[in-house]
Amino acid sequence: MRSYREELWFNTSSRRDYVNITRDVERCLDKSKIKEGLCLVNAMHITASVYINDAESGLLEDYDRWLETLAPHEPTSQYRHNRTGEDNGDAHLKRQIMGREVMVAVTGGQLDLGPWEQIFYGEFDGQRRKGVLVKIVGE
């Protein structure tokens, strides 16, 4: 069994953003030369997420509105976490809802994604550099 590891780095221009990273993960898979196995993609920061869904712009807006309804950024005083001097209590909750990672099967050197499925990096406290780990294992 072989393994391949690569870090992808992002610095979004806004506090919240949703970045389609499917092509980046496919490039990692191509570099790995692994044809059969598993691909783990996980956010390496506690205020960011990796998830799979449709790349439809309306859905991305729906996610953003829904998450902001569940855990609004303002007022920042509503979060105990922010008493530490932070202002990102909402981002931690949004990450918990959207998840830390995804696992995708690799078959014939391709990601085994279903119709319309794409891999996204969800940023909830952006405007600074954060990473995503891609770890591929198999033959």
Side-chain angles (χ1 to χ4, degrees):
M1 181 176 295
R2 297 187 335 259
S3 70
Y4 178 84
R5 181 187 189 282
E6 186 170 332
E7 294 176 7
L8 308 174
W9 291 93
F10 303 94
N11 190 349
T12 62
S13 60
S14 59
R15 182 175 191 87
R16 292 190 317 274
D17 202 357
Y18 307 89
V19 181
N20 188 330
I21 62 170
T22 308
R23 299 293 167 252
D24 298 305
V25 176
E26 288 173 338
R27 279 191 285 281
C28 292
L29 179 57
D30 287 344
K31 288 192 250 181
S32 78
K33 306 293 187 210
I34 292 173
K35 301 298 180 194
E36 301 291 326
L38 294 170
C39 177
L40 170 73
V41 185
N42 73 269
M44 296 191 305
H45 201 280
I46 55 178
T47 58
S49 177
V50 173
Y51 68 94
I52 294 177
N53 212 315
D54 193 352
E56 193 274 318
S57 62
L59 179 61
L60 297 177
E61 290 175 25
D62 290 341
Y63 266 135
D64 199 49
R65 187 177 56 239
W66 178 67
L67 288 168
E68 193 60 18
T69 300
L70 292 174
H73 177 64
E74 298 286 342
T76 57
S77 61
Q78 68 185 305
Y79 300 102
R80 286 184 175 191
H81 172 69
N82 291 348
R83 293 178 192 166
T84 66
E86 298 281 347
D87 71 346
N88 63 2
D90 67 301
H92 290 276
L93 299 175
K94 289 169 177 144
R95 189 271 180 105
Q96 197 67 32
I97 292 165
M98 296 301 287
R100 174 183 186 264
E101 65 198 12
V102 297
M103 180 79 72
V104 181
V106 173
T107 305
Q110 303 292 316
L111 295 173
D112 243 339
L113 293 168
W116 309 110
E117 287 189 327
Q118 300 286 298
I119 304 169
F120 284 87
Y121 168 71
E123 175 58 73
F124 309 117
D125 185 27
Q127 300 174 306
R128 56 193 166 127
R129 190 170 187 254
K130 295 185 190 173
V132 169
L133 172 68
V134 179
K135 178 78 173 195
I136 306 164
V137 295
E139 298 295 328

